Coordinates of all heavy atoms in Angstrom, one line a residue:
M1 N -42.2 35.2 59.9 CA -41.0 35.1 59.0 C -41.6 34.5 57.7 O -42.6 33.8 57.7 CB -40.0 34.1 59.7 CG -38.8 34.0 58.9 SD -37.5 33.0 59.7 CE -36.9 34.3 60.8
T2 N -40.9 34.7 56.6 CA -41.3 34.2 55.3 C -40.3 33.2 54.9 O -39.2 33.1 55.4 CB -41.4 35.3 54.3 OG1 -40.2 36.0 54.2 CG2 -42.5 36.3 54.7
A3 N -40.7 32.4 53.9 CA -39.8 31.3 53.4 C -38.6 32.0 52.7 O -38.8 33.0 52.0 CB -40.6 30.5 52.4
E4 N -37.5 31.4 52.9 CA -36.2 31.8 52.3 C -35.7 30.9 51.2 O -35.9 29.7 51.3 CB -35.1 31.9 53.3 CG -35.4 32.9 54.5 CD -34.3 32.8 55.5 OE1 -33.1 32.7 55.2 OE2 -34.7 32.9 56.7
R5 N -35.1 31.4 50.2 CA -34.5 30.5 49.2 C -33.3 29.9 49.8 O -32.4 30.5 50.4 CB -34.0 31.3 47.9 CG -33.5 30.4 46.9 CD -32.9 31.3 45.7 NE -32.5 30.4 44.6 CZ -31.4 29.7 44.5 NH1 -30.5 29.7 45.5 NH2 -31.1 28.9 43.5
V6 N -33.2 28.5 49.7 CA -32.1 27.8 50.3 C -31.2 27.2 49.2 O -30.0 26.9 49.5 CB -32.6 26.7 51.3 CG1 -33.2 27.4 52.5 CG2 -33.5 25.7 50.7
C7 N -31.8 26.9 48.0 CA -31.0 26.3 46.9 C -31.9 26.3 45.7 O -33.1 26.6 45.8 CB -30.5 24.9 47.2 SG -31.8 23.7 47.5
G8 N -31.4 25.9 44.6 CA -32.2 25.7 43.4 C -32.5 24.2 43.2 O -31.7 23.3 43.7
V9 N -33.6 23.9 42.7 CA -34.0 22.5 42.4 C -32.9 21.8 41.6 O -32.5 20.7 41.9 CB -35.4 22.4 41.7 CG1 -35.7 21.0 41.3 CG2 -36.5 23.0 42.5
A10 N -32.4 22.5 40.6 CA -31.3 21.9 39.8 C -30.0 21.6 40.5 O -29.2 20.8 40.1 CB -31.0 22.8 38.6
E11 N -29.8 22.2 41.7 CA -28.6 22.0 42.5 C -28.7 20.7 43.3 O -27.7 20.2 43.8 CB -28.4 23.1 43.5 CG -28.2 24.4 42.9 CD -28.2 25.6 43.9 OE1 -27.4 25.4 44.9 OE2 -28.9 26.6 43.7
L12 N -29.9 20.1 43.4 CA -30.1 18.9 44.2 C -30.0 17.6 43.4 O -30.6 17.5 42.3 CB -31.5 18.9 44.9 CG -31.8 20.0 45.9 CD1 -33.3 20.1 46.2 CD2 -30.9 19.9 47.1
E13 N -29.1 16.7 43.8 CA -28.9 15.5 43.2 C -29.8 14.4 44.0 O -29.9 14.5 45.2 CB -27.5 15.0 43.2 CG -26.6 15.9 42.4 CD -25.1 15.5 42.5 OE1 -24.9 14.2 42.4 OE2 -24.3 16.3 42.7
Q14 N -30.3 13.5 43.2 CA -31.2 12.5 43.9 C -30.4 11.8 45.0 O -29.3 11.3 44.8 CB -31.6 11.4 42.8 CG -32.4 10.3 43.4 CD -32.7 9.3 42.3 OE1 -33.0 9.6 41.2 NE2 -32.7 8.0 42.7
D15 N -31.1 11.7 46.1 CA -30.6 10.9 47.3 C -29.3 11.5 47.9 O -28.5 10.7 48.5 CB -30.5 9.4 47.0 CG -31.9 8.8 46.8 OD1 -32.9 9.4 47.2 OD2 -31.9 7.8 46.1
M16 N -28.9 12.7 47.6 CA -27.7 13.4 48.0 C -28.1 14.5 48.9 O -28.4 15.6 48.5 CB -26.8 13.8 46.9 CG -26.3 12.7 46.0 SD -25.2 11.5 46.8 CE -23.9 12.6 47.3
P17 N -28.1 14.3 50.3 CA -28.5 15.4 51.2 C -27.5 16.6 51.1 O -26.3 16.4 50.9 CB -28.4 14.8 52.5 CG -28.0 13.4 52.4 CD -27.6 13.1 51.0
I18 N -28.1 17.8 51.4 CA -27.3 19.0 51.5 C -27.7 19.7 52.8 O -28.9 19.5 53.2 CB -27.3 19.9 50.3 CG1 -28.7 20.6 50.2 CG2 -26.9 19.3 49.1 CD1 -28.8 21.8 49.2
R19 N -26.8 20.4 53.4 CA -27.1 21.2 54.6 C -27.3 22.7 54.2 O -26.5 23.2 53.5 CB -26.0 21.1 55.6 CG -26.2 21.9 56.9 CD -25.0 21.8 57.8 NE -25.0 22.8 58.8 CZ -25.0 22.5 60.1 NH1 -25.0 21.2 60.5 NH2 -25.1 23.4 61.0
V20 N -28.4 23.3 54.7 CA -28.7 24.7 54.5 C -29.0 25.3 55.8 O -29.2 24.6 56.8 CB -29.9 24.9 53.5 CG1 -29.5 24.3 52.1 CG2 -31.2 24.3 54.0
E21 N -28.9 26.6 55.9 CA -29.1 27.3 57.2 C -29.9 28.5 57.0 O -29.4 29.6 57.3 CB -27.8 27.6 57.9 CG -27.1 26.3 58.4 CD -25.9 26.6 59.3 OE1 -25.9 27.7 59.9 OE2 -25.0 25.8 59.4
P22 N -31.2 28.4 56.7 CA -32.0 29.6 56.6 C -32.2 30.2 58.0 O -32.5 29.5 59.0 CB -33.4 29.1 56.0 CG -33.4 27.7 56.4 CD -32.0 27.2 56.4
S23 N -31.9 31.5 58.1 CA -32.0 32.2 59.4 C -31.2 31.5 60.5 O -31.5 31.6 61.7 CB -33.4 32.4 59.9 OG -34.1 33.2 58.9
G24 N -30.1 30.8 60.1 CA -29.2 30.2 61.1 C -29.7 28.8 61.6 O -29.1 28.2 62.4
V25 N -30.8 28.3 61.0 CA -31.4 27.0 61.5 C -30.8 25.9 60.6 O -31.1 25.9 59.3 CB -32.9 27.0 61.4 CG1 -33.5 25.7 61.8 CG2 -33.5 28.1 62.3
P26 N -30.1 24.9 61.1 CA -29.5 23.9 60.3 C -30.6 22.9 59.8 O -31.3 22.3 60.6 CB -28.5 23.2 61.2 CG -28.9 23.6 62.6 CD -29.6 24.8 62.5
I27 N -30.7 22.7 58.5 CA -31.7 21.9 57.9 C -31.1 21.0 56.8 O -30.2 21.5 56.1 CB -32.9 22.7 57.3 CG1 -33.6 23.5 58.4 CG2 -33.9 21.9 56.5 CD1 -34.6 24.5 57.9
T28 N -31.5 19.8 56.7 CA -31.0 18.9 55.6 C -32.1 18.9 54.6 O -33.3 18.7 54.9 CB -30.8 17.5 56.2 OG1 -29.7 17.5 57.1 CG2 -30.5 16.5 55.0
V29 N -31.7 19.1 53.3 CA -32.6 19.1 52.2 C -32.2 17.9 51.3 O -31.1 17.7 51.0 CB -32.6 20.4 51.4 CG1 -33.5 20.3 50.2 CG2 -32.9 21.6 52.3
I30 N -33.3 17.1 50.9 CA -33.0 15.9 50.1 C -34.1 15.8 49.0 O -35.3 16.0 49.3 CB -33.1 14.6 51.0 CG1 -32.1 14.7 52.1 CG2 -33.0 13.4 50.2 CD1 -32.3 13.6 53.2
K31 N -33.6 15.5 47.8 CA -34.5 15.1 46.7 C -34.5 13.6 46.6 O -33.5 13.0 46.4 CB -34.1 15.8 45.4 CG -35.0 15.4 44.2 CD -34.8 16.2 43.0 CE -33.4 16.0 42.4 NZ -33.3 16.7 41.1
D32 N -35.7 13.0 46.9 CA -35.7 11.5 46.9 C -35.8 11.0 45.5 O -35.8 11.7 44.5 CB -36.9 11.0 47.8 CG -38.3 11.3 47.2 OD1 -38.4 11.6 46.0 OD2 -39.2 11.2 48.0
S33 N -35.9 9.6 45.4 CA -35.8 8.9 44.1 C -37.0 9.3 43.2 O -37.0 9.0 42.0 CB -35.7 7.4 44.3 OG -36.8 7.0 45.0
E34 N -38.1 9.8 43.8 CA -39.3 10.2 43.1 C -39.3 11.6 42.7 O -40.3 12.2 42.1 CB -40.6 9.8 43.8 CG -40.7 8.3 44.1 CD -41.9 7.9 44.8 OE1 -42.8 8.8 45.1 OE2 -42.1 6.8 45.2
G35 N -38.2 12.3 43.1 CA -38.1 13.8 42.8 C -38.7 14.7 43.8 O -38.8 15.9 43.6
V36 N -39.3 14.1 44.9 CA -39.9 14.9 45.9 C -38.8 15.5 46.8 O -37.8 14.8 47.2 CB -40.8 14.1 46.8 CG1 -41.4 14.9 47.9 CG2 -42.0 13.5 45.9
I37 N -38.9 16.8 47.1 CA -37.9 17.5 48.0 C -38.4 17.5 49.4 O -39.5 18.0 49.7 CB -37.6 18.9 47.4 CG1 -37.0 18.7 46.0 CG2 -36.6 19.6 48.3 CD1 -36.8 20.0 45.2
H38 N -37.5 17.1 50.3 CA -37.8 17.0 51.8 C -36.9 17.9 52.5 O -35.7 18.1 52.1 CB -37.7 15.6 52.3 CG -38.5 14.6 51.6 ND1 -39.8 14.3 51.9 CD2 -38.2 13.8 50.5 CE1 -40.3 13.4 51.1 NE2 -39.3 13.0 50.2
A39 N -37.3 18.4 53.7 CA -36.5 19.2 54.5 C -36.7 18.8 56.0 O -37.9 18.8 56.4 CB -36.8 20.7 54.4
I40 N -35.7 18.3 56.7 CA -35.8 17.9 58.0 C -34.7 18.6 58.9 O -33.7 19.0 58.3 CB -35.7 16.4 58.2 CG1 -34.3 15.8 57.8 CG2 -36.8 15.7 57.4 CD1 -34.2 14.4 58.1
G41 N -34.8 18.6 60.2 CA -33.8 19.1 61.0 C -32.5 18.4 60.8 O -32.4 17.2 60.6
D42 N -31.4 19.1 60.7 CA -30.1 18.6 60.3 C -29.4 17.8 61.4 O -28.5 17.0 61.1 CB -29.2 19.7 59.8 CG -27.8 19.2 59.3 OD1 -27.8 18.3 58.4 OD2 -26.8 19.5 59.9
T43 N -29.7 18.0 62.6 CA -28.9 17.4 63.7 C -29.6 16.2 64.3 O -30.7 16.2 64.7 CB -28.7 18.4 64.9 OG1 -28.2 19.6 64.3 CG2 -27.8 17.9 65.9
C44 N -28.8 15.0 64.2 CA -29.3 13.8 64.8 C -29.6 14.0 66.2 O -28.9 14.6 67.0 CB -28.2 12.7 64.6 SG -28.7 11.1 65.4
T45 N -30.8 13.4 66.7 CA -31.2 13.6 68.1 C -30.4 12.7 69.0 O -30.5 12.9 70.2 CB -32.7 13.4 68.2 OG1 -33.0 12.1 67.8 CG2 -33.5 14.5 67.5
H46 N -29.6 11.8 68.5 CA -28.8 10.9 69.4 C -27.5 11.6 69.7 O -26.9 11.4 70.8 CB -28.6 9.6 68.7 CG -27.7 8.7 69.5 ND1 -27.9 8.2 70.7 CD2 -26.5 8.2 69.1 CE1 -26.9 7.5 71.1 NE2 -26.0 7.5 70.2
G47 N -27.0 12.3 68.7 CA -25.7 12.9 68.9 C -25.6 14.2 68.0 O -26.5 14.4 67.2
D48 N -24.6 15.0 68.2 CA -24.5 16.2 67.5 C -23.8 15.9 66.1 O -22.7 16.4 65.8 CB -23.7 17.2 68.3 CG -23.7 18.6 67.7 OD1 -24.7 18.9 67.0 OD2 -22.8 19.4 68.0
I49 N -24.6 15.2 65.3 CA -24.1 14.8 63.9 C -25.0 15.4 62.9 O -26.2 15.3 63.0 CB -24.0 13.2 63.8 CG1 -23.2 12.6 65.0 CG2 -23.6 12.8 62.5 CD1 -21.7 12.9 64.9
S50 N -24.4 15.9 61.8 CA -25.2 16.4 60.7 C -25.8 15.3 59.9 O -25.1 14.4 59.4 CB -24.3 17.3 59.8 OG -25.0 17.6 58.6
L51 N -27.1 15.3 59.7 CA -27.8 14.3 58.9 C -27.5 14.5 57.4 O -27.6 13.6 56.6 CB -29.3 14.3 59.1 CG -29.7 13.8 60.5 CD1 -31.2 13.9 60.7 CD2 -29.2 12.4 60.8
A52 N -27.0 15.7 57.0 CA -26.6 15.9 55.6 C -25.4 15.1 55.2 O -25.1 14.9 54.1 CB -26.4 17.4 55.4
E53 N -24.7 14.6 56.2 CA -23.6 13.7 55.9 C -24.0 12.2 55.9 O -23.2 11.3 55.8 CB -22.5 13.9 57.0 CG -21.9 15.3 57.0 CD -21.0 15.6 58.2 OE1 -20.6 14.6 58.9 OE2 -20.6 16.7 58.4
G54 N -25.3 12.0 56.1 CA -25.8 10.6 56.1 C -26.1 10.0 54.8 O -25.8 10.6 53.7
F55 N -26.8 8.9 54.9 CA -27.1 8.1 53.7 C -28.6 8.0 53.5 O -29.3 7.7 54.5 CB -26.5 6.6 53.9 CG -25.1 6.6 54.3 CD1 -24.8 6.4 55.7 CD2 -24.1 6.9 53.4 CE1 -23.5 6.4 56.1 CE2 -22.8 6.9 53.8 CZ -22.5 6.6 55.2
V56 N -29.1 8.2 52.3 CA -30.5 8.2 52.0 C -30.8 6.8 51.4 O -30.2 6.3 50.5 CB -30.9 9.3 51.0 CG1 -32.3 9.2 50.6 CG2 -30.5 10.7 51.5
E57 N -31.9 6.3 52.0 CA -32.4 5.0 51.5 C -34.0 5.1 51.5 O -34.5 5.2 52.6 CB -31.9 3.8 52.3 CG -32.4 2.5 51.6 CD -31.7 1.3 52.3 OE1 -30.6 1.4 52.8 OE2 -32.4 0.3 52.4
G58 N -34.6 5.1 50.3 CA -36.0 5.2 50.3 C -36.5 6.5 50.9 O -36.0 7.6 50.4
D59 N -37.3 6.5 51.9 CA -37.8 7.7 52.5 C -37.2 8.0 53.9 O -37.8 8.5 54.8 CB -39.4 7.7 52.6 CG -39.9 6.6 53.5 OD1 -39.1 5.8 54.0 OD2 -41.1 6.6 53.8
T60 N -35.9 7.5 54.0 CA -35.2 7.8 55.3 C -33.8 8.3 55.0 O -33.3 8.1 53.9 CB -35.0 6.5 56.1 OG1 -34.2 5.5 55.4 CG2 -36.4 5.9 56.5
V61 N -33.2 9.0 56.0 CA -31.8 9.4 56.0 C -31.2 8.8 57.3 O -31.8 8.9 58.3 CB -31.6 10.9 55.9 CG1 -32.2 11.6 57.1 CG2 -30.1 11.2 55.7
E62 N -30.1 8.1 57.1 CA -29.4 7.4 58.2 C -28.2 8.2 58.7 O -27.4 8.7 57.9 CB -28.9 6.0 57.7 CG -28.2 5.3 58.8 CD -27.7 3.9 58.3 OE1 -28.4 3.3 57.5 OE2 -26.7 3.5 58.7
C63 N -28.1 8.4 60.0 CA -27.0 9.1 60.6 C -25.8 8.2 60.4 O -25.8 7.0 60.8 CB -27.3 9.4 62.0 SG -25.9 10.1 62.9
W64 N -24.7 8.7 59.9 CA -23.5 7.9 59.6 C -22.8 7.4 60.9 O -22.1 6.4 60.9 CB -22.5 8.6 58.7 CG -21.9 9.8 59.3 CD1 -22.4 11.1 59.2 CD2 -20.8 9.9 60.2 NE1 -21.6 11.9 60.0 CE2 -20.6 11.2 60.6 CE3 -19.9 8.9 60.7 CZ2 -19.6 11.6 61.4 CZ3 -18.9 9.4 61.5 CH2 -18.8 10.7 61.9
A65 N -23.0 8.1 62.0 CA -22.2 7.8 63.2 C -22.8 6.6 64.0 O -22.0 5.8 64.4 CB -22.2 9.1 64.1
H66 N -24.1 6.6 64.2 CA -24.6 5.5 65.0 C -25.7 4.7 64.3 O -26.3 3.8 64.9 CB -25.1 6.1 66.3 CG -24.0 6.7 67.1 ND1 -24.0 8.1 67.3 CD2 -23.0 6.2 67.8 CE1 -22.9 8.4 68.0 NE2 -22.3 7.3 68.3
G67 N -26.1 5.0 63.1 CA -27.0 4.2 62.3 C -28.5 4.5 62.5 O -29.3 3.7 61.9
S68 N -28.9 5.5 63.3 CA -30.3 5.7 63.4 C -30.8 6.3 62.0 O -30.2 7.2 61.5 CB -30.6 6.7 64.5 OG -30.4 6.1 65.7
A69 N -31.9 5.8 61.6 CA -32.5 6.3 60.3 C -33.8 7.1 60.7 O -34.6 6.7 61.5 CB -32.9 5.1 59.4
F70 N -33.9 8.3 60.1 CA -35.0 9.2 60.3 C -35.9 9.2 59.1 O -35.4 9.4 58.0 CB -34.5 10.6 60.7 CG -33.8 10.6 62.0 CD1 -32.4 10.3 62.0 CD2 -34.4 10.9 63.1 CE1 -31.7 10.4 63.2 CE2 -33.7 11.0 64.3 CZ -32.4 10.7 64.4
S71 N -37.2 9.2 59.3 CA -38.2 9.3 58.2 C -38.2 10.7 57.7 O -38.2 11.7 58.4 CB -39.6 9.0 58.7 OG -40.6 9.4 57.8
L72 N -38.1 10.8 56.3 CA -38.2 12.1 55.7 C -39.6 12.7 55.7 O -39.8 13.9 55.6 CB -37.7 12.0 54.2 CG -36.3 11.5 54.0 CD1 -36.0 11.4 52.5 CD2 -35.3 12.4 54.6
L73 N -40.6 11.8 56.0 CA -42.0 12.3 56.0 C -42.4 12.8 57.4 O -43.2 13.7 57.5 CB -42.9 11.1 55.6 CG -42.5 10.5 54.2 CD1 -43.4 9.3 53.9 CD2 -42.7 11.6 53.1
T74 N -41.9 12.1 58.4 CA -42.4 12.4 59.8 C -41.3 12.9 60.7 O -41.6 13.4 61.8 CB -43.0 11.2 60.5 OG1 -42.0 10.2 60.7 CG2 -44.1 10.6 59.6
G75 N -40.0 12.7 60.4 CA -38.9 13.0 61.2 C -38.6 12.0 62.3 O -37.7 12.1 63.1
K76 N -39.5 11.0 62.5 CA -39.3 10.0 63.5 C -38.2 9.0 63.2 O -38.0 8.6 62.1 CB -40.7 9.2 63.7 CG -41.8 10.1 64.2 CD -43.1 9.3 64.3 CE -44.2 10.3 64.8 NZ -45.5 9.6 64.8
P77 N -37.4 8.7 64.3 CA -36.4 7.7 64.1 C -37.0 6.3 63.9 O -38.0 6.0 64.5 CB -35.6 7.7 65.4 CG -36.5 8.3 66.4 CD -37.5 9.2 65.7
Q78 N -36.4 5.6 63.0 CA -36.9 4.3 62.6 C -36.3 3.1 63.4 O -36.7 2.0 63.4 CB -36.7 4.0 61.1 CG -37.3 5.1 60.3 CD -38.8 5.2 60.5 OE1 -39.6 4.3 60.1 NE2 -39.3 6.4 61.0
N79 N -35.2 3.5 64.1 CA -34.5 2.5 64.9 C -33.6 3.2 66.0 O -33.4 4.4 65.9 CB -33.6 1.6 64.0 CG -32.6 2.4 63.2 OD1 -32.9 3.5 62.7 ND2 -31.4 1.9 63.1
L80 N -33.2 2.5 66.9 CA -32.3 3.0 68.0 C -30.9 3.2 67.4 O -30.6 2.6 66.4 CB -32.3 2.0 69.2 CG -33.6 1.9 69.9 CD1 -33.5 0.8 70.9 CD2 -34.0 3.2 70.5
P81 N -30.1 4.0 68.0 CA -30.2 4.5 69.4 C -31.0 5.8 69.5 O -31.3 6.2 70.6 CB -28.7 4.8 69.8 CG -28.0 5.1 68.5 CD -28.7 4.2 67.4
A82 N -31.3 6.5 68.4 CA -32.2 7.7 68.5 C -33.6 7.4 68.8 O -34.1 6.3 68.4 CB -32.1 8.5 67.2
Y83 N -34.2 8.2 69.7 CA -35.6 7.9 70.0 C -36.5 9.2 69.9 O -37.7 9.1 70.0 CB -35.8 7.3 71.4 CG -35.2 8.0 72.5 CD1 -35.9 9.0 73.2 CD2 -33.9 7.8 72.9 CE1 -35.3 9.7 74.2 CE2 -33.3 8.5 73.9 CZ -34.0 9.5 74.6 OH -33.5 10.2 75.6
E84 N -35.8 10.3 69.7 CA -36.5 11.6 69.5 C -36.6 12.0 68.1 O -35.6 11.8 67.4 CB -35.8 12.7 70.3 CG -35.9 12.6 71.8 CD -37.3 12.8 72.4 OE1 -38.1 13.6 71.8 OE2 -37.7 12.1 73.3
P85 N -37.7 12.5 67.6 CA -37.8 12.9 66.1 C -37.0 14.2 65.9 O -36.8 15.0 66.8 CB -39.3 13.1 65.9 CG -39.8 13.4 67.3 CD -39.0 12.7 68.3
V86 N -36.7 14.4 64.6 CA -36.2 15.7 64.2 C -37.4 16.5 63.5 O -38.4 15.8 63.1 CB -35.1 15.6 63.1 CG1 -33.8 15.0 63.8 CG2 -35.5 14.8 61.9
P87 N -37.4 17.8 63.5 CA -38.5 18.5 62.8 C -38.5 18.3 61.3 O -37.5 18.1 60.7 CB -38.2 20.0 63.2 CG -36.8 20.0 63.6 CD -36.4 18.7 64.0
V88 N -39.7 18.4 60.8 CA -39.9 18.3 59.3 C -40.5 19.6 58.9 O -41.4 20.1 59.5 CB -40.9 17.1 59.0 CG1 -41.1 17.1 57.5 CG2 -40.3 15.8 59.4
Y89 N -39.8 20.2 57.9 CA -40.2 21.6 57.5 C -41.0 21.6 56.2 O -40.8 20.7 55.3 CB -38.9 22.4 57.2 CG -38.2 22.6 58.5 CD1 -37.2 21.8 58.9 CD2 -38.5 23.7 59.4 CE1 -36.5 21.9 60.1 CE2 -37.8 23.8 60.6 CZ -36.8 22.9 60.9 OH -36.2 23.1 62.1
V90 N -41.8 22.6 56.0 CA -42.6 22.8 54.8 C -41.7 23.3 53.7 O -40.9 24.2 53.9 CB -43.7 23.8 55.0 CG1 -44.5 24.1 53.7 CG2 -44.7 23.3 56.1
V91 N -41.7 22.6 52.5 CA -40.9 23.0 51.4 C -41.8 23.6 50.3 O -42.9 23.1 50.0 CB -40.2 21.8 50.8 CG1 -39.4 22.2 49.5 CG2 -39.2 21.2 51.8
E92 N -41.4 24.8 49.8 CA -42.2 25.4 48.7 C -41.2 25.5 47.5 O -40.0 25.7 47.7 CB -42.6 26.8 49.1 CG -43.5 26.9 50.3 CD -43.8 28.4 50.6 OE1 -43.9 29.2 49.7 OE2 -43.9 28.6 51.8
I93 N -41.8 25.3 46.3 CA -41.0 25.4 45.1 C -41.6 26.5 44.3 O -42.8 26.6 44.1 CB -41.1 24.1 44.2 CG1 -40.7 22.9 45.1 CG2 -40.2 24.2 43.0 CD1 -39.3 22.9 45.6
D94 N -40.7 27.5 43.9 CA -41.1 28.6 43.1 C -40.2 28.7 41.9 O -39.0 29.1 42.0 CB -41.0 29.9 43.9 CG -41.5 31.1 43.2 OD1 -42.1 31.0 42.1 OD2 -41.2 32.3 43.7
G95 N -40.6 28.2 40.8 CA -39.7 28.0 39.6 C -38.7 27.0 39.9 O -38.9 25.9 40.2
D96 N -37.4 27.5 39.9 CA -36.3 26.6 40.3 C -35.8 26.8 41.7 O -34.9 26.2 42.2 CB -35.1 26.8 39.3 CG -33.9 25.9 39.6 OD1 -34.2 24.6 39.6 OD2 -32.8 26.3 39.9
D97 N -36.5 27.7 42.5 CA -36.1 28.0 43.8 C -36.7 27.0 44.8 O -38.0 26.8 44.8 CB -36.4 29.4 44.2 CG -35.7 30.4 43.4 OD1 -34.5 30.1 42.9 OD2 -36.2 31.6 43.2
V98 N -35.9 26.5 45.8 CA -36.4 25.8 46.9 C -36.5 26.7 48.1 O -35.5 27.3 48.5 CB -35.5 24.6 47.3 CG1 -36.0 23.8 48.5 CG2 -35.4 23.6 46.1
L99 N -37.7 26.9 48.6 CA -37.9 27.9 49.7 C -38.3 27.1 51.0 O -39.2 26.2 50.9 CB -39.0 28.8 49.3 CG -38.9 29.6 48.0 CD1 -40.2 30.3 47.6 CD2 -37.7 30.5 48.0
I100 N -37.8 27.6 52.1 CA -38.1 27.0 53.4 C -38.2 28.1 54.4 O -37.4 29.0 54.5 CB -37.0 26.0 53.9 CG1 -36.9 24.8 52.9 CG2 -37.3 25.5 55.3 CD1 -35.7 23.9 53.2
D101 N -39.3 28.0 55.2 CA -39.4 28.9 56.4 C -39.1 28.1 57.6 O -39.8 27.2 58.0 CB -40.9 29.4 56.5 CG -41.1 30.4 57.7 OD1 -40.3 30.4 58.6 OD2 -42.1 31.1 57.6
P102 N -37.9 28.4 58.3 CA -37.5 27.6 59.4 C -38.3 27.7 60.6 O -38.1 27.0 61.6 CB -36.1 28.1 59.7 CG -36.1 29.5 59.2 CD -37.0 29.5 58.0
T103 N -39.4 28.5 60.6 CA -40.3 28.6 61.7 C -41.6 27.8 61.5 O -42.4 27.8 62.4 CB -40.7 30.1 62.0 OG1 -41.4 30.6 60.9 CG2 -39.4 31.0 62.2
V104 N -41.7 27.2 60.3 CA -42.9 26.5 60.0 C -42.6 25.0 59.8 O -41.8 24.6 58.9 CB -43.6 27.0 58.7 CG1 -44.8 26.2 58.4 CG2 -43.9 28.5 58.9
T105 N -43.1 24.2 60.7 CA -42.9 22.7 60.6 C -44.2 22.1 60.2 O -45.3 22.6 60.4 CB -42.3 22.1 61.9 OG1 -43.2 22.5 63.0 CG2 -40.9 22.7 62.2
K106 N -44.0 20.9 59.6 CA -45.2 20.1 59.3 C -45.9 19.5 60.5 O -45.2 19.1 61.4 CB -44.9 19.0 58.3 CG -44.5 19.5 56.9 CD -44.3 18.3 56.0 CE -43.9 18.7 54.6 NZ -43.7 17.5 53.7
E107 N -47.2 19.4 60.5 CA -47.9 18.7 61.5 C -47.9 17.2 61.1 O -48.4 16.8 60.1 CB -49.3 19.2 61.6 CG -49.4 20.6 62.0 CD -48.9 20.8 63.5 OE1 -49.2 20.0 64.3 OE2 -48.4 21.9 63.7
V108 N -47.2 16.4 61.9 CA -47.1 14.9 61.6 C -47.5 14.1 62.7 O -47.5 14.5 63.8 CB -45.7 14.5 61.1 CG1 -45.4 15.1 59.7 CG2 -44.6 14.9 62.1

């Protein structure tokens, strides 16, 4: 599979997650305070909650339902109740396009 356009860089607001679904795979995309764009699995591993509805702080996104924060760099939960990581995807930027291949995850 090849990377798909999921949004434009200009569409992303700092620390405001969005949900995208390349090839039907739910992914949360976040532009952090340094302008780096991250892509992680959208579903909290503690419950069936979209992380795109969560709160971004530094390099984490917090699930609004139970408070587990996930690292944008590794996908690992930083606190309970979640204990399983979410996948972290490779992000490519081509001009203003944000591209993600939902079959390629980062080795963390």
